[in-house]
Amino acid sequence: MKYVDEFRDRDLAKTIAEAIRQEADPGRTYNIMEFCGGHTHAIFRYGVKDLMPENVRFVHGPGCPVCVLPVRRLDDAVEIAERHNVILCTYGDMMRVPGTKQRSLIKAKADGADIKMVYSTLDALKIARNNPDREVVFFAIGFETTTPPTAVAIKTAERERLKNFSVFCNHVLTPSAIGHILESPEVRELGTVQIDGFLGPSHVSSVIGSEPYEFFAEEFGKPVVIAGFEPLDVMQSALMLIRQINEGRHEVENEYTRVVTSEGNLKAQQLVSDVFELRQSFEWRGLGKVPYSALKIRESYAAFDAEKRFEVSEKKSREVKSCECPAILRGVKKPTDCKLFGTVCTPDSPMGSCMVSSEGACAAYWTYGRHREKARAAPVKEAAE
Ligand code: SF4
């Protein structure tokens, strides 16, 4: 298949792996953060990690949209569904993420809440059209990739005068999160997270382009290579980063030229800016409150804003005890550092978002079998609360 087979070619992979071995200086370590969960899965699924020399390390970043949603916002979604008797529509991965006291949307659904899994915003609009007597709320999550479809849904609802449709908006922004990581004490002062360069996101960059990364490449002196999701994309991008690091450069380079341009998708950007504006602050799981890192619905579309339409109570939300998702999302820990990994927490009984999501780091470690046997042999160390 074009654009797939040639990016999974075994001989080319060996050639790139050899070039990396030749060019990586054995006297130093190369810490490469893959921001995006899609890259984490490519690295594990295709064994890219095993093709790297010991001193080239991948550090997993927070680029999994389901993983970074804080428990509080999930608890709010459960409350909207249960208390306000709406039809709540959401993408599949969100259904199983445990909220406070492990209450998930799927548990709320089992208890009678009307929660539906959808594949697109168009499905949610269709449900609203077919149920004119019910309020329909789309629980919108994700980075810049999924924001344009939400903007289209809101514009469509306005055009069709769908008064029973609204959006619970949780869209977040990639560049602010990368900047926040680079500003964190763990990177700047403590040195517990070492980052020498970034694999830039694929899908996000197809929308925002490569330009938004230039500021922090320059400001923080960290090279960025925007990488596609196939194994050879990841390997070639790692090689490009190693070359930049060796030469003391910190530029934004684009390996994913078959999709990403420097300016991105201008039409999608216009749609997003028509409907959304910046939030002053938004909480991320693991990163805490990050200024100007998320979007809210503009006042001109307030009629479609579920946060304005449905009141939610003040609540004390909290993670499952012992779940290390917050530290994993900051690159401080790996899934295998979590006491619950593979024992109490598996994809069948996830204790945290990183094991639920198809882009989560814990799911990547588990799914591709690299830690299963070890985890099965280990005793259950601690029960989750
Ligand atoms: S293994 Fe489970 S409990 Fe541990 S960090 Fe990952 S999702 Fe959380």
Side-chain angles (χ1 to χ4, degrees):
M1 192 191 300
K2 181 132 180 78
Y3 295 129
V4 173
D5 293 344
E6 64 265 52
F7 289 93
R8 296 181 185 177
D9 184 279
R10 180 188 293 246
D11 293 333
L12 272 175
K14 282 184 189 158
T15 306
I16 301 172
E18 184 52 34
I20 289 173
R21 258 191 298 278
Q22 294 283 337
E23 296 193 33
D25 175 358
R28 61 157 299 158
T29 304
Y30 298 82
N31 299 291
I32 297 173
M33 176 174 266
E34 84 275 5
F35 180 85
C36 181
H39 285 139
T40 309
H41 277 252
I43 287 163
F44 280 88
R45 181 175 176 192
Y46 298 106
V48 171
K49 190 167 168 282
D50 300 339
L51 294 171
M52 297 289 128
E54 284 278 300
N55 60 335
V56 176
R57 297 187 192 142
F58 290 110
V59 182
H60 316 312
C64 156
V66 171
C67 306
V68 295
L69 189 83
V71 175
R72 168 66 199 260
R73 301 289 287 189
L74 174 59
D75 290 346
D76 285 348
V78 171
E79 184 182 345
I80 290 171
E82 289 183 324
R83 184 173 143 204
H84 296 285
N85 190 30
V86 305
I87 302 175
L88 187 94
C89 303
T90 190
Y91 295 131
D93 276 357
M94 274 318 301
M95 298 285 279
R96 297 171 62 237
V97 178
T100 299
K101 296 192 176 159
Q102 297 187 43
R103 184 116 184 106
S104 61
L105 288 168
I106 207 155
K107 284 186 181 160
K109 182 178 170 72
D111 289 341
D114 200 346
I115 299 171
K116 297 192 191 307
M117 190 190 86
V118 292
Y119 290 103
S120 75
T121 55
L122 298 180
D123 291 345
L125 283 170
K126 195 169 164 192
I127 290 167
R129 286 185 204 108
N130 292 342
N131 294 272
D133 301 331
R134 300 281 309 280
E135 287 282 347
V136 175
V137 177
F138 177 63
F139 182 17
I141 61 146
F143 290 92
E144 291 89 338
T145 327
T146 49
T147 312
T150 307
V152 170
I154 290 174
K155 283 191 162 224
T156 306
E158 186 193 45
R159 198 176 57 244
E160 294 182 11
R161 300 197 178 139
L162 269 179
K163 293 198 183 327
N164 62 330
F165 178 80
S166 60
V167 169
F168 180 40
C169 177
N170 295 275
H171 287 300
V172 287
L173 302 170
T174 305
S176 354
I178 296 181
H180 189 79
I181 291 169
L182 289 169
E183 291 275 18
S184 70
E186 283 131 345
V187 172
R188 284 180 86 100
E189 293 149 32
L190 306 173
T192 42
V193 179
Q194 290 179 355
I195 301 171
D196 299 308
F198 285 93
L199 285 183
S202 317
H203 292 158
V204 162
S205 305
S206 71
V207 175
I208 67 172
S210 60
E211 280 168 12
Y213 307 102
E214 279 168 13
F215 165 75
F216 61 76
E218 179 61 35
E219 180 73 13
F220 297 98
K222 303 289 181 194
V224 179
V225 175
I226 294 162
F229 277 135
E230 295 299 331
L232 296 199
D233 288 316
V234 175
M235 293 178 72
Q236 178 62 27
S237 301
L239 178 59
M240 289 163 77
L241 279 171
I242 289 165
R243 282 180 182 155
Q244 284 208 46
I245 295 164
N246 286 348
E247 292 164 15
R249 290 185 289 123
H250 39 82
E251 297 163 12
V252 178
E253 292 182 321
N254 182 10
E255 181 276 338
Y256 199 30
T257 50
R258 61 193 188 277
V259 173
V260 174
T261 60
S262 64
E263 75 275 14
N265 184 332
L266 298 177
K267 193 170 178 188
Q269 290 168 25
Q270 186 59 53
L271 270 169
V272 169
S273 106
D274 286 350
V275 175
F276 299 103
E277 61 186 350
L278 282 174
R279 282 184 198 265
Q280 274 195 334
S281 177
F282 191 78
E283 188 187 344
W284 293 52
R285 190 189 302 247
L287 305 188
K289 289 200 170 154
V290 183
Y292 300 106
S293 65
L295 298 172
K296 63 179 180 178
I297 296 170
R298 283 189 186 279
E299 205 47 45
S300 46
Y301 288 97
F304 302 97
D305 189 345
E307 286 180 80
K308 296 214 162 74
R309 205 181 282 199
F310 304 103
E311 197 189 333
V312 289
S313 57
E314 279 301 314
K315 48 179 87 75
K316 281 198 178 138
S317 296
R318 65 191 183 108
E319 307 275 348
V320 169
K321 190 183 167 196
S322 304
C323 172
E324 298 282 10
C325 280
I328 290 167
L329 291 165
R330 291 198 306 280
V332 177
K333 291 193 173 177
K334 294 196 296 289
T336 41
D337 295 329
C338 175
K339 293 174 190 165
L340 308 183
F341 177 81
T343 52
V344 174
C345 181
T346 65
D348 291 337
S349 58
M351 293 292 136
S353 54
C354 301
M355 187 61 95
V356 175
S357 171
S358 55
E359 293 183 49
C362 299
Y365 271 61
W366 181 263
T367 304
Y368 303 111
R370 287 163 194 279
H371 299 277
R372 281 185 207 197
E373 296 312 319
K374 234 187 310 177
R376 280 198 192 111
V380 176
K381 292 175 186 159
E382 189 174 316
E385 187 174 89

